[in-house]
Amino acid sequence: MKQIKILAVALACFGATIAQEKQVNYENPKGLKMETEYSSDNSEIRDILSFEGIDYLKIKFSDDKLKGKSYKLSVKEIWDGEVKSKTIVLDSKNLGIKQFETLKDSVLNMKVISKLTSDNQLKLTFKFPRFSVTKKYDAIKSDDYSLRNLADESNLKIGYNEEFYLLAYILPYEREDGSKSWCEVGTSGDDIEKWGEKFSIKHYLLFEMKFD
């Protein structure tokens, strides 16, 4: 049932096809831009991803000012409404490869592939043009996890020199009538670290990006 729910939610939230593309350019029309493609434009691949419970995002950042910037991705693990930990997923300055420390172009492409594993962990792979990073995080036993581009879905500000919210791996809000909503969570925007309390969500991951 998870896949049917996610398909319906994606259509409701994004108002087009699963593989639609969005461009984010909040509050600064001449600044950092972000384009997101959800799932795949190939219907057969979409079917396979859905069957396997895999979330797949392609994200493209672009701006002339990106050239020469380093980038860092971190994650907060939030349980029962409290931030239990914050760790670095990747830091381009600390990859150990000099040529990867800063961007050589005005574009950064990344793909995010994720799923709940059989041992109740959320497995995410962040793929860049010349390397990838895979991480696992503890989770509850639930088929309802959904990876969201939070900056896209909640129209959040993105920019330079300070962290901004990028992704969230969430459970849905369960209403009194038993129905579930991912959109109600993902589009709520403010007080993101308080979602556990506001929506009675047991657990979620919150990813932040920073360009320096």
Side-chain angles (χ1 to χ4, degrees):
M1 292 299 294
K2 175 191 175 188
Q3 285 71 30
I4 295 175
K5 293 172 187 171
I6 289 178
L7 176 59
V9 167
L11 290 173
C13 288
F14 306 132
T17 65
I18 298 291
Q20 70 161 338
E21 189 174 278
K22 283 191 171 186
Q23 187 177 91
V24 178
N25 190 15
Y26 306 126
E27 300 184 12
N28 186 7
K30 295 183 180 180
L32 182 65
K33 301 176 183 66
M34 181 180 70
E35 299 170 49
T36 306
E37 186 177 336
Y38 299 89
S39 189
S40 171
D41 57 5
N42 183 304
S43 62
E44 293 180 350
I45 293 177
R46 281 204 307 272
D47 290 342
I48 293 170
L49 292 174
S50 177
F51 182 78
E52 293 294 336
I54 297 171
D55 288 306
Y56 180 53
L57 301 179
K58 290 191 283 188
I59 302 171
K60 176 183 175 182
F61 292 100
S62 61
D63 182 24
D64 289 341
K65 293 182 180 179
L66 269 180
K67 191 172 182 178
K69 297 285 187 183
S70 63
Y71 53 98
K72 180 170 66 175
L73 186 67
S74 60
V75 60
K76 292 176 180 175
E77 298 183 62
I78 301 176
W79 291 88
D80 299 311
E82 295 185 13
V83 178
K84 296 299 185 180
S85 67
K86 180 176 180 178
T87 55
I88 301 299
V89 178
L90 68 93
D91 185 343
S92 66
K93 292 180 179 179
N94 295 318
L95 289 173
I97 304 174
K98 184 70 175 178
Q99 66 192 77
F100 293 165
E101 289 183 2
T102 58
L103 295 170
K104 310 305 180 186
D105 199 353
S106 59
V107 171
L108 173 63
N109 289 299
M110 62 183 291
K111 300 175 184 177
V112 188
I113 308 166
S114 65
K115 68 175 296 180
L116 179 70
T117 66
S118 58
D119 56 351
N120 295 328
Q121 288 192 311
L122 297 175
K123 180 180 179 180
L124 298 99
T125 294
F126 300 88
K127 295 182 69 68
F128 295 87
R130 299 182 66 183
F131 70 93
S132 64
V133 175
T134 297
K135 298 286 186 178
K136 288 185 177 181
Y137 304 94
D138 291 337
I140 67 171
K141 187 176 182 179
S142 173
D143 288 331
D144 288 335
Y145 280 99
S146 178
L147 182 67
R148 327 290 290 193
N149 186 325
L150 187 59
D152 188 346
E153 198 168 343
S154 282
N155 290 349
L156 302 180
K157 182 179 179 180
I158 64 176
Y160 299 107
N161 304 318
E162 61 182 9
E163 290 182 314
F164 59 86
Y165 294 122
L166 179 60
L167 306 172
Y169 213 154
I170 64 172
L171 292 165
Y173 169 54
E174 299 190 30
R175 303 188 182 97
E176 291 184 2
D177 63 3
S179 62
K180 299 178 181 181
S181 174
W182 292 261
C183 285
E184 197 162 343
V185 180
T187 60
S188 62
D190 54 359
D191 294 326
I192 294 168
E193 294 182 20
K194 299 297 183 182
W195 280 352
E197 179 180 347
K198 181 177 181 179
F199 296 105
S200 298
I201 297 174
K202 174 72 175 178
H203 169 247
Y204 61 101
L205 302 177
L206 182 57
F207 293 88
E208 295 175 291
M209 191 86 173
K210 185 179 181 181
F211 292 105
D212 277 322

